[in-house]
């Protein structure tokens, strides 16, 4: 049977009833298994049953009970693999709780475990990248995501497509143009992700080839859908703002003077709106805005003044070195030996001739 919500949707009451019954039956069965294993003192099966209960509650969205049973499974762990499984389970729960500091602590502990299983390593790197993205360290998050291999995905926190989108947005928001080519476009591992979604690949190439209007339009088409993403939604506005700002800097970088009318066309905006954006962007960047002529001009640095400063600094260095050489020459001619309070080794002690010359100089 179904129940209408009054908003053009209906609730499948029968499915909810059946699913809830199945969930409760599974909990009862696993708890009975645990009691049986406790009677026989079968620690491995107790650990495994507690872990299964934790997984079940996690799948049901009951993260508090999931944490409780994962903690119980830890008490029966006896190997390095068991410890790593516990850490990964706690990482998974804290990720969905958005407790990023706890995630970071567990990731650091997991990284100290000597384990070569790619499944474990991928999950650790995924959690690390999500933590860095949550802390708005977008450059490091992109680099972490880029190290995650594309093959053998199975029941991860996020999907390969989500990883592709996270990496692309973080890279576009923080990488310079040369890094964009070296780390993304020429990255053989990342090319496997790009093959899943040609739209994202074309978007990256548009930004790299300075076709910013096409790249920004592609991102705008994805924005509404990306705001539904559990981990990306809080960062969408910041990432899009950073991407636009970085694109404007790259657009103007090759020029000394730029027509703001053409620049507004390239960024799908009006000249007035562009001018307001540039006022915040070019502050302290050595760029002037000519509002009357609608021109953006790079302020030339005075090379003559810089050359004069370099010459003065070089003269001071040469003068100091010359005086140092004069003093050393005078000391050698006088046969003086400068003694320190620190005991000298046999190699550092002065010879007999040096001592005699020193004595004659002092007597004279």
């Amino acid at each position: 049977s179904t129940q209408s919500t009054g908003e053009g949707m209906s609730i499948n009451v029968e499915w909810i009833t059946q699913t809830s019954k199945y969930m409760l039956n599974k909990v009862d069965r696993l708890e009975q298994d645990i009691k049986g294993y406790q009677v026989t003192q079968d620690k491995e099966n107790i650990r495994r049953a507690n872990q299964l209960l934790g997984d079940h509650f996690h799948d049901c969205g009951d993260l508090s009970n999931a944490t409780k049973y994962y903690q119980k499974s830890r008490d029966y762990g006896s190997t390095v693999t068991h410890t790593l499984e516990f850490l990964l389970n706690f990482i998974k729960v804290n990720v969905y709780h958005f407790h990023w500091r706890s995630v970071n602590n567990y990731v650091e502990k997991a990284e100290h475990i000597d384990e070569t299983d790619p499944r474990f390593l991928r999950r650790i790197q995924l959690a690390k990248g999500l933590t860095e993205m949550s802390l708005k360290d977008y450059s490091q998050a992109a680099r972490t995501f880029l190290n995650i291999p594309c093959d053998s995905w199975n029941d991860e926190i996020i999907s390969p497509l989500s990883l592709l989108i996270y990496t692309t947005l973080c890279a576009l928001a923080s990488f310079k143009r040369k890094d964009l080519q070296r780390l993304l476009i020429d990255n053989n591992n990342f090319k496997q992700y790009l093959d899943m979604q040609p739209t994202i690949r074309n978007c990256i190439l548009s930004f790299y080839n300075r076709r910013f209007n096409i790249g920004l339009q592609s991102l705008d088409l994805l924005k509404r859908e990306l705001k539904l993403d559990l981990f990306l939604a809080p960062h969408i506005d910041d990432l899009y703002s950073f991407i636009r700002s970085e694109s404007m800097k790259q657009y103007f970088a090759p020029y000394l003077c730029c027509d703001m009318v053409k620049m507004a066309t390239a960024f799908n905006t009006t000249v007035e709106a562009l001018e307001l954006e540039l006022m915040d962007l070019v502050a302290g960047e050595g760029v002037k805005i000519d509002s009357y002529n609608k021109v953006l001009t790079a302020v030339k640095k005075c090379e003559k003044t810089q050359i004069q400063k370099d010459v003065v600094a070089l003269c001071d260095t040469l003068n100091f070195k010359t005086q140092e050489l004069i003093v050393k020459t005078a000391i050698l001619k006088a046969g003086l030996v400068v003694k320190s309070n620190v005991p000298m080794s046999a190699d550092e002690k002065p010879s007999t001739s040096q001592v005699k010359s020193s004595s004659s100089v002092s007597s004279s």
Side-chain angles (χ1 to χ4, degrees), residues 43-302:
K43 292 186 178 181
E44 174 57 23
N45 280 326
I46 294 174
R47 184 195 69 82
R48 183 60 183 157
N50 278 303
Q51 185 170 322
L52 289 173
L53 264 173
D55 292 340
H56 175 68
F57 281 115
H58 174 268
D59 294 338
C60 296
D62 189 348
L63 299 180
S64 297
N65 273 322
T67 303
K68 181 178 75 173
Y69 283 100
Y70 285 144
Q71 183 66 48
K72 287 183 178 180
S73 71
R74 181 188 188 183
D75 298 336
Y76 295 92
S78 58
T79 66
V80 174
T81 303
H82 294 165
T83 303
L84 187 55
E85 286 179 354
F86 161 76
L87 291 173
L88 291 175
N89 287 329
F90 256 58
I91 286 171
K92 180 172 59 176
V93 170
N94 281 282
V95 162
Y96 287 112
H97 267 307
F98 301 108
H99 295 165
W100 298 113
R101 294 192 181 279
S102 297
V103 173
N104 188 51
N105 291 335
Y106 286 118
V107 165
E108 289 180 353
K109 292 179 180 178
E111 286 181 330
H112 287 90
I113 296 177
D114 187 13
E115 180 60 55
T116 58
D117 189 336
R119 181 173 61 92
F120 291 146
L121 296 177
R122 177 185 288 109
R123 292 181 179 179
I124 292 169
Q125 290 298 307
L126 282 173
K128 185 177 181 180
L130 289 173
T131 303
E132 290 163 347
M133 188 173 72
S134 72
L135 298 175
K136 298 188 177 183
D137 189 355
Y138 299 127
S139 177
Q140 188 56 47
R143 295 172 190 272
T144 301
F145 288 140
L146 284 167
N147 291 327
I148 299 175
C150 184
D151 55 340
S152 303
W153 278 73
N154 181 29
D155 192 26
E156 306 295 352
I157 299 174
I158 60 176
S159 67
L161 180 58
S162 296
L163 177 67
L164 168 63
I165 294 172
Y166 295 177
T167 308
T168 299
L169 292 180
C170 289
L172 290 175
S174 57
F175 283 3
K176 299 299 182 183
R177 189 167 179 266
K178 60 180 181 180
D179 294 330
L180 207 61
Q181 179 181 14
R182 180 172 59 88
L183 298 176
L184 257 72
I185 299 174
D186 294 342
N187 189 319
N188 291 327
N189 178 59
F190 192 65
K191 284 179 182 178
Q192 299 179 56
Y193 290 103
L194 291 175
D195 291 339
M196 301 177 187
Q197 189 61 270
T199 305
I200 301 295
R201 179 180 57 201
N202 295 335
C203 179
I204 294 174
L205 292 175
S206 297
F207 280 101
Y208 178 74
N209 294 321
R210 289 196 167 92
R211 297 197 295 266
F212 300 112
N213 56 340
I214 299 175
L216 291 171
Q217 285 175 355
S218 300
L219 291 181
D220 287 339
L221 293 175
L222 296 172
K223 188 173 184 178
R224 188 173 181 180
E225 181 179 348
L226 295 179
K227 282 195 170 183
L228 300 175
D229 188 283
L230 182 65
F231 302 113
L232 193 61
H235 306 281
I236 282 293
D237 292 333
D238 286 342
L239 286 169
Y240 272 58
S241 177
F242 291 149
I243 290 171
R244 189 173 179 85
S245 298
E246 185 62 32
S247 299
M248 287 183 177
K249 291 178 182 178
Q250 291 186 22
Y251 181 91
F252 181 68
Y255 308 109
L256 293 175
C257 185
C258 178
D259 187 345
M260 291 174 60
V261 176
K262 293 182 179 179
M263 188 174 180
T265 303
F267 286 92
N268 303 317
T269 186
T270 62
V271 178
E272 291 75 16
L274 176 66
E275 188 172 344
L276 292 174
E277 286 186 79
L278 291 174
M279 287 175 64
D280 295 330
L281 185 62
V282 303
E285 295 288 337
V287 179
K288 287 185 178 180
I289 301 174
D290 186 343
S291 298
Y292 181 77
N293 295 313
K294 304 300 178 186
V295 173
L296 195 64
T297 307
V299 178
K300 294 182 179 180
K301 295 182 180 179
C302 183

